[in-house]
Structure formats: C-alpha cells, structure tokens
Amino acid sequence: MTKRKLDLKVMKNLVFPYLPTLVGVNVGEKPNYIAIGLIGWLCYDTMSVSIGHQQYSRKGFEENRTFSVNQPGAKLVRELDFCGMASGRTVDKAALFETFYGETKTAPMIAECPVNVECRVVQTLVRPVHTVYLGEVVAVHVSEDCVTDGIMDVTRIEPIFYAPDPSQGKQVHSYWTLGQRIGRTYEVGKDLRPT
Ligand SMILES: Cc1cc2nc3c(=O)[nH]c(=O)nc-3n(C[C@H](O)[C@H](O)[C@H](O)COP(=O)(O)O)c2cc1C
C-alpha cells in the first residue's frame, strides 16, 4: 500500500466529503445565513460549527449565543453557494428564504430547508482560523414532506455534500448528492464476525 502525505497548510486539502449547511444567526435582530462545511454532531445533543474570525456572522453568535443549523436539499444548491460567497455585511441573504423562529426566539431558521436544528451556545473554542461554537441542541424541525412513516427520509431530503473534484482541476471542490444505499447499519458488517 502506498500513501501520500497531504500539505496541511493548504486548507483545500480538506479531504473528507462535507455536508454543508446554512447556519443562521441574528445580527442586530436581523437574520443572516452563512454556508458552513465545518459542522459536526459531537454527541446526540451537541453540535459544533466553526466560524472564521473575520465572518460577519460571528457577531450574531456573540450577541445572542444561539444559532441554527439548516440542512439544504439539492434544490437549494445555488442559495447555499451564494451564502458562502456573499457577506451579510453588504447583502441581505435572508431575503432568499422564508425565516421562522422556534424555542430560542433568536436563532433564525430557513423554512425551505428540510431539517432545522436550533442550538444554544454552551462553549467556545478559539483556534487560529476559526472560533468553534459548541451548541446544545434545543429542538429539531423536519419538513412533513421529508418524513415517511414517521421517520426522517434521507431520499426525500436529498442532502448535498462537497468534496475535492479532480475532474475540475487542482483545489476545486464540487457539490454532489448522495449515491446508492449500500447496506443497513449494524447489519452489513455482521458476516465479518469471527465464528
Ligand atoms: C460550501 C462552503 C462551505 C463553507 N464553510 C465554511 C466554514 O466551515 N466556516 C467558515 O467560516 N466559512 C465557511 N465558508 C465561507 C463563508 O460561508 C463565507 O465566507 C460567507 O460569505 C461568510 O458570510 P458572513 O460574512 O455573512 O458571515 C464556506 C463557504 C462555502 C461555499
């Protein structure tokens, strides 16, 4: 097996596929949405989002200590990309969406996104490029048309992921949708158990 060591200084070397989201905060009582790839579920009730120090959205995190994580479906790929290029400093990105509020009252959410998670900041971690906000999950909302037999249905949500795309040249990422179902969890690996 031959391995290649990637250059960590080149940010675009982020190698795993990311599930980008639209993160919502209120800045000066107005909603703003930022495209965020660096998000994670740290455990069942805690999410993390990494916000570059220079981002306008950071003000909203500091003002209200609440945020939302909105998962766009494939239909919203243009809006997602735009919210990753334009800043709330100069553009009203919230005009692209219908905004609603939930339990936190200050974390704006996007009605058009099939999944919305509202969070309250419980901890922050300052790293050289980003501030990582850890949020306790306050509530999760799912669009009715993305639920089948009472269960959230990923085939209806059509989540977007992005990853490096060698077909487009060096350091270029592209957006993709999910491929085929390849097995059931806690089942597909069963036959590797020693007998
Ligand atoms: C797909 C995608 C993912 C991104 N992920 C992040 C991220 O994880 N953290 C970050 O600070 N910026 C990220 N960005 C860049 C911000 O979305 C972008 O700088 C945005 O314009 C900042 O908006 P604001 O100034 O309104 O806060 C990403 C952009 C794209 C297109």
Side-chain angles (χ1 to χ4, degrees):
M1 181 189 50
T2 318
K3 290 267 188 184
R4 177 190 298 231
K5 197 165 162 189
L6 296 182
D7 181 359
L8 279 179
K9 291 198 190 84
V10 182
M11 295 294 287
K12 297 279 183 189
N13 271 344
L14 298 171
V15 284
F16 295 115
Y18 285 79
L19 275 176
T21 56
L22 287 160
V23 168
V25 284
N26 264 5
V27 184
E29 299 187 16
K30 284 198 181 146
N32 187 52
Y33 298 107
I34 174 174
I36 292 293
L38 299 169
I39 65 134
W41 280 97
L42 300 186
C43 55
Y44 287 143
D45 60 3
T46 312
M47 293 201 79
S48 70
V49 293
S50 301
I51 308 293
H53 298 315
Q54 79 287 3
Q55 308 295 23
Y56 176 70
S57 301
R58 250 198 89 200
K59 278 169 78 111
F61 281 86
E62 299 300 331
E63 280 172 22
N64 300 299
R65 312 298 286 170
T66 59
F67 64 95
S68 71
V69 181
N70 305 274
Q71 182 170 33
K75 286 186 214 86
L76 290 177
V77 68
R78 288 168 59 238
E79 288 80 355
L80 168 71
D81 200 48
F82 180 71
C83 289
M85 293 188 278
S87 174
R89 274 188 198 95
T90 50
V91 178
D92 176 12
K93 292 184 270 184
L96 294 170
F97 309 107
E98 184 190 329
T99 290
F100 72 102
Y101 291 87
E103 289 182 33
T104 66
K105 315 272 192 229
T106 50
M109 289 179 279
I110 299 176
E112 293 87 343
C113 284
V115 185
N116 321 93
V117 183
E118 10 177 359
C119 296
R120 206 180 302 283
V121 175
V122 287
Q123 225 169 307
T124 55
L125 176 66
V126 179
R127 299 293 299 149
V129 178
H130 298 90
T131 300
V132 184
Y133 293 94
L134 308 190
E136 174 183 37
V137 173
V138 174
V140 180
H141 311 266
V142 183
S143 299
E144 278 295 351
D145 60 1
C146 293
V147 175
T148 302
D149 297 334
I151 299 167
M152 199 171 83
D153 189 336
V154 77
T155 64
R156 294 185 180 203
I157 292 170
E158 289 194 281
I160 299 167
F161 71 92
Y162 75 102
D165 186 353
S167 79
Q168 300 295 307
K170 215 173 168 194
Q171 295 192 18
V172 175
H173 286 59
S174 290
Y175 298 106
W176 315 76
T177 53
L178 292 179
Q180 299 298 307
R181 178 183 179 281
I182 55 168
R184 198 166 142 177
T185 61
Y186 296 113
E187 190 189 87
V188 69
K190 266 185 187 165
D191 57 0
L192 293 179
R193 276 190 190 142
T195 43

